[in-house]
Amino acid sequence: MTNAASLAEFFEEALTEAVTRLRADGGELVTFEPQLQALVLRARVRGNPLLGRAAGISRAQSSRPGDSGVEEQPTVVLPSAAALRIFPLDEGVRGMAFSRHYPIRVSGHELARMRPEDLPVSDASCCLAVPVFRASASPTLRPDPEVIGVLSVYIRSPMWTFSDADIDLLVVHADRIARTLALIEASREREQREGLLTLLNAGPTSGDPVALAASIREVAQHIAPSAAFTLLLPPPTQASDPDVTFLGAVWEGTPLSPSARPGSALPPWWQDITRGQTVRVSSPEEAARHPDYCQIGWETPQPLRSLVALPLRSAHPLGALVLADTHPGRYTGREIKLLETLAAEATLLLEHTLLGASQRTGSLLGEGMPGASHGGGRLPRQERAQNEELLSQFANAVLTLNASLDPDATARALVEQAGGLTTAAVRMVFLVDDEGKHLVGRATNWEPGGPHMPFREVELPLSWQDLGKQHDQPFLLLAPDQGDSTPEERFAAEYQMASCLVVPMERPQRQEEHTPDTGPLKQAKAHPLLGALLVYTPGQPYLLQPREVQHLQSLVKSASGAMSNAMLYHNLADAYEKQKELDKYKDDFILTVSHEFRTPLTAIEGYTGLISRHGNKLDQTKLDAFAQEIKQAMDQLTGMLGTLADVSRMDSVEKGENSELQVSLEPVNARIAATKALNQQQPDQQPRVTIELPEDLWVVADEERLTRAFSNLISNAIKYTENKPCRVTAHAATREELLKDGRTLKSDAEHWAVIGVRDYGSGISKEDQARLFNKFVRLPHSRTTPIRGTGLGLWICKEYMKAFKGDIWIESRIGDGSLFEFCLPLADPPSEA
Amino acid sequence: MAKPTVLIVDDDPAIRKMLTEVLTLEGYPFETASGGVEALSALERSGPRVILLDISMDDLPGDKVLEALIENGTRSQHKVIFISANDRLERYRHLGPDAELAKPFTVSQLMSVVEQQAA
């Protein structure tokens, strides 16, 4: 899916599908390309293949080949002004109509205001266009969507127009396109990162800063082609040469000689760099905010109109990676994110290359610039050799760390690489969990004669010794008394930890606007700490060695970028997979529901038809019987509608639009509710269930929904049970007993009823039990709901019990049937008055 | 003229019941089967039938029942009316049912199809 040809194919397929489904006469898909600042026509369909009209799908020629990624396919660039006339936007691609999230409907008087040539096809009578938003990993959170394209369809016949349902349908299609694009983008980003590493591979080992700068430039060009590039290094504080160094400076592909760039002053944005901020001048607003920022430090042959400068910063500000171009709007959020990764890696490599270079020329790190020559070899030969080994060690470490987009593999790489830099015997990597409450063990290289608990299950509370509060400096952690009352104590005992060095892994700072607007990621972002590297030697106190600490700190710093990217990618891929699956379930669900509605409707249609055809022949008994059948079918329909309404309410609860399902909790007689539910079953099935509930069993619930829950459980039981009748039973339990059994109780009530529905069927395996209460789960051959086969019945029961502040669970053994039990607070019977 | 026997095949008891009421009042003799397997054994025992055959059944779906009739060479003895609530009747047209009915249907629709096939 990542190559250009299959991407073009995807665009075509997606558009063709939209045109077909909307029964339109044709359509267009355009995307906004930030690098070109224009809308690009991705696919055009003329004629609806379904309707058998001329189904020509045309793609025009590329006007700008050779740009990276998407641009390599044949496209036509629509000058944005002309393209925008298709849609009634005044100016700017991110025009008002799009950013307000509303689809645009061009018909009626709006159409009249447009000239015929504004429509995609001159004889189109009506055009429907919806924005394609950048997909977010979480389907529920979409605070401020970014428009990345427009999907439009049109019809020719003046007889027709598009309905609201068509708009909804087209929005669904646009969403699907957006999600696929996001997946493609994620994998493209991964490819770019991999390419980036291959390129960097050549740089560090040579030890030549100029060669390193050249390879960094090559990568940067790959990410964001620019006219100007340099690594800007400030004048060293105590150096005789006061000039700013422009390492690897290039203008339009030609390296600049030092004489061509007499720069002695730092650019005006240098202060921002020293504060660790990325400087960007790309949009008109940014240019207006800092009119003097568009300079690189030397006189350029043509004026610059876009610039991005990224800090190269380790313990102290080392310099800046600068890209600039003569066109405005060159640098987008995505590109800057990649460039920031590049800058983080470049920092480390540069620092160590400079270290190598300064050793060769004999100056100390940070005091001299490459090529400068000061004094003689101050470092002893042995130490120099050590340093060089360290240097290659680091280059290796960085490459290994970045090789994977899997958080676990990255964690494993980190413990391995840390091994080369410390004398401590054990290295462990912990990551902060999603809630930001624990550090969870992810990798260790220690495999002694047998720690009893698998390392992955180790969880340390972030509150322990303020682990979570310190995220910039390494610190020494004294292990607690070795006992077994708290997780920390058990951990220290198990792993024989006396004291250890904690090197915190800080979450890399990204500019706010580049943070993906995703739910799970947002939560994770809440904690500034990404994780930590712990090193120690079992049974011994950790001896602080400043050099070792410094090295580990550098390593962890470079790992943080890799780790954060890996986690981001991981979460994103995960969320899309889930969303895709859910989409499929929803399609199935709609089909099943419509099927289930037809059955009672058929019964009603049949009996009413009979009454009107044969009314005169029918006696009162027959009429009553028919009326009863009709009533039963109507009840079934009403029940289904109630369930559907609740499902959609629960959906909105899940999406956070509502805090919880609104139920009216009051005393309900459980026996009456169960009997009602039984009466809703097929008459010939009813004798297969015995209700053994006491007559005065009152519980706190919502009557209608408790009945529905009973109905779901009873109809399930009927379907499963073989020869013996199913039983509905109850017993009392105290709060303490229930809690001991691991039930979740949201009410403080002391006295509870446990109600069970028992069948004597084949039973349910442990695996299936675990997912039984999940949404859309249908066990093989099961029909779990009155809306049969929707896979929502037990999920609804669980949601109801939650709303009633109780809990539901299952006990089942293969061959021995199943017992579904739920607990509800006992209630006093309502007073007779 | 004597009316042929109709075999009602549907795994939903409510629908079976409704169909028997209709056929009784319309004067058609009928048999019922609550699934595909039962339908096949009923057809083995008796002669030609008009079959009201529901497609979505758990044990053996209606389309499979028709396939079995084609295989055992008795297809031509019967008139097969496919019934489905799925809106997907066209998927089964290649099997060549004699008629089809989409749920929900009216009594008039049902009877006009049955009468046509019974003639």
Side-chain angles (χ1 to χ4, degrees):
Chain A
M1 192 77 102
T2 49
N3 68 52
S6 61
L7 186 60
E9 225 165 77
F10 160 72
F11 282 132
E12 261 177 36
E13 269 170 31
L15 177 63
T16 309
E17 203 190 327
V19 169
T20 314
R21 293 285 284 273
L22 271 101
R23 295 172 182 273
D25 291 317
E28 287 187 349
L29 175 62
V30 294
T31 59
F32 176 68
E33 290 309 319
Q35 289 199 355
L36 308 179
Q37 283 288 303
L39 289 170
V40 175
L41 180 64
R42 294 301 181 186
R44 170 178 280 161
V45 174
R46 293 195 191 288
N48 186 328
L50 184 78
L51 300 178
R53 300 196 191 155
I57 294 169
S58 61
R59 263 183 286 126
Q61 292 307 304
S62 171
S63 71
R64 212 182 135 148
D67 277 342
S68 62
V70 175
E71 280 76 37
E72 278 163 25
Q73 63 181 314
T75 52
V76 72
V77 179
L78 307 175
S80 46
L84 288 175
R85 281 214 311 271
I86 300 173
F87 315 102
L89 289 181
D90 291 321
E91 55 180 3
V93 179
R94 290 147 201 264
M96 290 168 51
F98 286 160
S99 57
R100 265 197 241 130
H101 314 190
Y102 288 121
I104 307 129
R105 196 170 170 191
V106 189
S107 63
H109 68 280
E110 287 165 319
L111 187 64
R113 276 196 285 119
M114 296 173 68
R115 289 165 302 160
E117 63 265 31
D118 291 339
L119 282 172
V121 173
S122 55
D123 58 344
S125 70
C126 181
C127 170
L128 178 65
V130 299
V132 178
F133 293 110
R134 185 180 295 290
S136 77
S138 151
T140 54
L141 270 176
R142 194 185 253 182
D144 191 19
E146 180 188 350
V147 176
I148 53 170
V150 180
L151 174 65
S152 63
V153 294
Y154 60 84
I155 39 182
R156 286 206 173 90
S157 162
M159 307 279 295
W160 294 91
T161 181
F162 290 107
S163 66
D164 288 343
D166 290 332
I167 297 183
D168 292 344
L169 194 58
L170 198 57
V171 166
V172 169
H173 280 279
D175 269 0
R176 288 197 174 161
I177 291 171
R179 282 201 299 273
T180 311
L181 281 179
L183 274 180
I184 291 170
E185 199 160 340
S187 73
R188 203 165 75 207
E189 217 166 276
R190 188 187 51 197
E191 272 171 20
Q192 272 184 358
R193 284 175 49 79
E194 277 161 8
L196 179 152
L197 292 167
T198 324
L199 283 167
L200 274 182
N201 202 358
T205 41
S206 75
D208 172 9
V210 179
L212 174 67
S215 66
I216 293 172
R217 176 181 169 269
E218 210 175 316
V219 184
Q221 282 298 101
H222 192 70
I223 299 169
S226 303
F229 169 87
T230 192
L231 296 181
L232 183 151
L233 308 173
T237 39
Q238 299 149 4
S240 52
D241 180 2
D243 276 358
V244 179
T245 307
F246 295 100
L247 195 58
V250 169
W251 175 260
E252 298 281 21
T254 315
L256 291 196
S257 69
S259 62
R261 43 184 161 94
S264 55
L266 286 160
W269 39 259
W270 176 251
Q271 280 311 311
D272 292 3
I273 293 291
T274 56
R275 285 195 292 268
Q277 290 167 6
T278 295
V279 175
R280 177 170 77 161
V281 186
S282 193
S283 67
E285 300 88 66
E286 284 162 344
R289 204 180 313 139
H290 298 297
D292 56 337
Y293 266 28
C294 242
Q295 350 178 345
I296 200 163
W298 79 80
E299 200 78 18
T300 52
Q302 286 159 40
L304 298 170
R305 297 177 71 190
S306 307
L307 176 136
V308 58
L310 306 116
L312 303 172
R313 194 187 153 91
S314 58
H316 56 98
L318 197 67
L321 190 162
V322 193
L323 291 171
D325 200 77
T326 50
H327 292 93
R330 271 319 243 176
Y331 305 105
T332 66
R334 291 265 149 172
E335 286 161 5
I336 291 195
K337 214 173 86 190
L338 278 171
L339 288 171
E340 277 172 347
T341 311
L342 174 64
E345 270 143 32
T347 305
L348 202 76
L349 294 169
L350 187 66
E351 189 170 30
H352 289 89
T353 308
L354 293 181
L355 171 78
S358 62
Q359 276 165 15
R360 270 189 292 281
T361 58
S363 75
L364 283 172
L365 173 64
E367 280 186 16
M369 283 298 127
S373 125
H374 302 280
R378 288 190 210 161
L379 286 173
R381 191 190 174 85
Q382 193 191 352
E383 199 167 331
R384 208 182 309 162
Q386 250 179 20
N387 275 338
E388 267 169 22
E389 197 194 313
L390 198 65
L391 179 65
S392 79
Q393 188 81 255
F394 256 105
N396 253 329
V398 173
L399 289 169
T400 322
L401 282 172
N402 280 290
S404 169
L405 276 172
D406 169 19
D408 281 318
T410 310
R412 281 195 301 274
L414 179 56
V415 290
E416 256 165 51
Q417 297 306 326
L421 301 171
T422 172
T423 51
V426 179
R427 281 83 62 192
M428 294 173 164
V429 170
F430 287 81
L431 295 180
V432 176
D433 65 0
D434 286 347
E435 281 107 46
K437 288 189 180 139
H438 291 93
L439 279 173
V440 183
R442 295 299 277 259
T444 177
N445 65 334
W446 189 48
E447 288 177 27
H452 301 301
M453 56 181 153
F455 184 68
R456 280 202 58 124
E457 281 172 22
V458 173
E459 266 192 14
L460 300 178
L462 264 180
S463 52
W464 177 36
Q465 305 220 0
D466 288 340
L467 263 175
K469 288 205 185 128
Q470 194 153 356
H471 16 88
D472 47 356
Q473 289 298 320
F475 59 96
L476 204 62
L477 184 78
L478 296 177
D481 296 337
Q482 300 193 353
D484 62 354
S485 54
T486 64
E488 304 86 287
E489 286 178 8
R490 277 195 295 277
F491 167 69
E494 193 85 50
Y495 289 91
Q496 302 166 35
M497 181 191 282
S499 68
C500 75
L501 175 74
V502 179
V503 189
M505 194 190 301
E506 208 174 0
R507 189 176 297 278
Q509 298 290 320
R510 294 176 199 277
Q511 288 187 12
E512 207 53 43
E513 56 179 311
H514 307 142
T515 312
D517 46 6
T518 57
L521 303 185
K522 248 212 169 112
Q523 281 179 0
K525 194 179 159 47
H527 208 281
L529 188 69
L530 204 60
L533 172 73
L534 268 62
V535 305
Y536 69 100
T537 302
Q540 293 174 25
Y542 179 82
L543 296 175
L544 207 62
Q545 302 164 63
R547 239 175 111 83
E548 180 175 307
V549 174
Q550 198 188 339
H551 294 153
L552 289 173
Q553 194 182 3
S554 289
L555 180 72
V556 168
K557 191 172 166 52
S558 106
S560 71
M563 184 63 83
S564 122
N565 279 325
M567 288 167 82
L568 216 78
Y569 182 77
H570 197 71
N571 291 352
L572 214 63
D574 240 33
Y576 286 128
E577 270 316 304
K578 271 195 201 127
Q579 182 59 22
K580 254 162 75 185
E581 201 178 334
L582 214 60
D583 269 357
K584 197 190 143 297
Y585 281 139
K586 283 206 166 147
D587 288 351
D588 282 1
F589 172 70
I590 290 168
L591 208 71
T592 326
V593 166
S594 75
H595 176 273
E596 295 306 316
F597 268 88
R598 284 164 206 255
T599 303
L601 278 175
T602 307
I604 294 171
E605 192 72 68
Y607 289 110
T608 51
L610 278 181
I611 292 169
S612 74
R613 273 166 83 106
H614 303 287
N616 49 351
K617 283 194 259 170
L618 298 170
D619 58 18
Q620 195 55 46
T621 329
K622 214 56 189 171
L623 282 173
D624 286 348
F626 286 4
Q628 190 51 45
E629 294 290 345
I630 293 172
K631 174 84 174 62
Q632 175 127 17
M634 302 282 278
D635 284 350
Q636 215 179 328
L637 283 177
T638 313
M640 286 177 191
L641 282 172
T643 309
L644 275 183
D646 275 349
V647 167
S648 107
R649 265 179 229 134
M650 289 172 203
D651 254 0
S652 67
V653 170
E654 275 185 2
K655 286 179 189 159
E657 289 159 12
N658 262 319
S659 56
E660 58 185 47
L661 188 66
Q662 295 297 317
V663 293
S664 55
L665 293 181
E666 55 194 9
V668 177
N669 185 301
R671 187 185 167 87
I672 293 177
T675 311
K676 237 189 233 173
L678 180 57
N679 288 337
Q680 289 170 4
Q681 310 301 316
Q682 293 300 338
D684 55 333
Q685 298 293 329
Q686 290 178 12
R688 302 181 65 193
V689 181
T690 58
I691 293 182
E692 301 167 27
L693 300 177
E695 266 170 34
D696 58 347
L697 178 58
W698 291 84
V699 292
V700 180
D702 170 309
E703 184 170 7
E704 198 188 316
R705 293 191 172 87
L706 180 61
T707 307
R708 221 175 279 149
F710 266 125
S711 178
N712 286 347
L713 293 172
I714 289 175
S715 68
N716 266 354
I718 289 176
K719 278 158 203 154
Y720 278 110
T721 209
E722 280 153 17
N723 299 318
K724 276 162 91 178
C726 319
R727 298 171 61 199
V728 182
T729 57
H731 66 264
T734 64
R735 181 183 173 73
E736 199 184 335
E737 286 164 349
L738 288 170
L739 288 175
K740 220 174 103 194
D741 287 341
R743 312 297 170 215
T744 314
L745 307 178
K746 288 205 294 180
S747 155
D748 296 332
E750 209 34 63
H751 302 286
W752 294 70
V754 176
I755 299 176
V757 178
R758 173 86 163 98
D759 70 62
Y760 297 90
S762 51
I764 296 172
S765 73
K766 276 265 173 281
E767 281 164 11
D768 285 341
Q769 285 178 32
R771 58 191 193 99
L772 200 57
F773 292 100
N774 289 350
K775 206 172 177 179
F776 293 124
V777 166
R778 285 182 287 187
L779 297 186
H781 309 299
S782 87
R783 296 168 159 197
T784 41
T785 61
I787 293 185
R788 68 179 184 191
T790 52
L792 290 175
L794 288 172
W795 176 71
I796 286 166
C797 287
K798 190 189 76 187
E799 294 297 313
Y800 284 169
M801 294 312 155
K802 263 201 255 170
F804 300 161
K805 307 194 187 302
D807 200 359
I808 184 167
W809 60 94
I810 179 184
E811 276 165 30
S812 179
R813 278 216 312 267
I814 292 288
D816 196 29
S818 310
L819 171 64
F820 285 88
E821 279 190 313
F822 56 89
C823 59
L824 294 173
L826 278 170
D828 292 328
S831 55
E832 293 296 319
Chain B
M1 202 174 80
K3 288 178 172 171
T5 303
V6 178
L7 176 63
I8 300 167
V9 191
D10 198 312
D11 63 349
D12 189 317
I15 298 297
R16 278 204 308 278
K17 181 138 187 268
M18 187 273 288
L19 290 172
T20 61
E21 296 284 0
V22 174
L23 292 173
T24 311
L25 283 164
E26 298 285 343
Y28 279 85
F30 61 82
E31 289 173 51
T32 61
S34 62
V37 177
E38 203 183 322
L40 283 176
S41 63
L43 289 169
E44 247 169 54
R45 280 185 268 111
S46 55
R49 293 285 181 265
V50 172
I51 310 170
L52 285 170
L53 186 54
D54 187 38
I55 288 180
S56 40
M57 291 185 295
D58 274 354
D59 66 334
L60 185 68
D63 52 314
K64 300 284 175 223
V65 173
L66 181 52
E67 275 174 18
L69 294 182
I70 294 169
E71 251 170 54
N72 69 22
T74 59
R75 166 71 183 92
S76 58
Q77 300 173 17
H78 311 288
K79 297 286 185 182
V80 177
I81 304 167
F82 269 163
I83 297 183
S84 169
N86 254 346
D87 231 8
R88 300 241 176 119
L89 280 163
E90 67 274 7
R91 274 195 196 177
Y92 305 103
R93 274 188 203 146
H94 66 278
L95 294 172
D98 296 286
E100 54 190 39
L101 273 172
K103 286 180 189 171
F105 45 79
T106 64
V107 176
S108 326
Q109 284 168 340
L110 169 69
M111 288 324 296
S112 89
V113 170
V114 170
E115 274 157 22
Q116 210 178 6
Q117 297 304 323

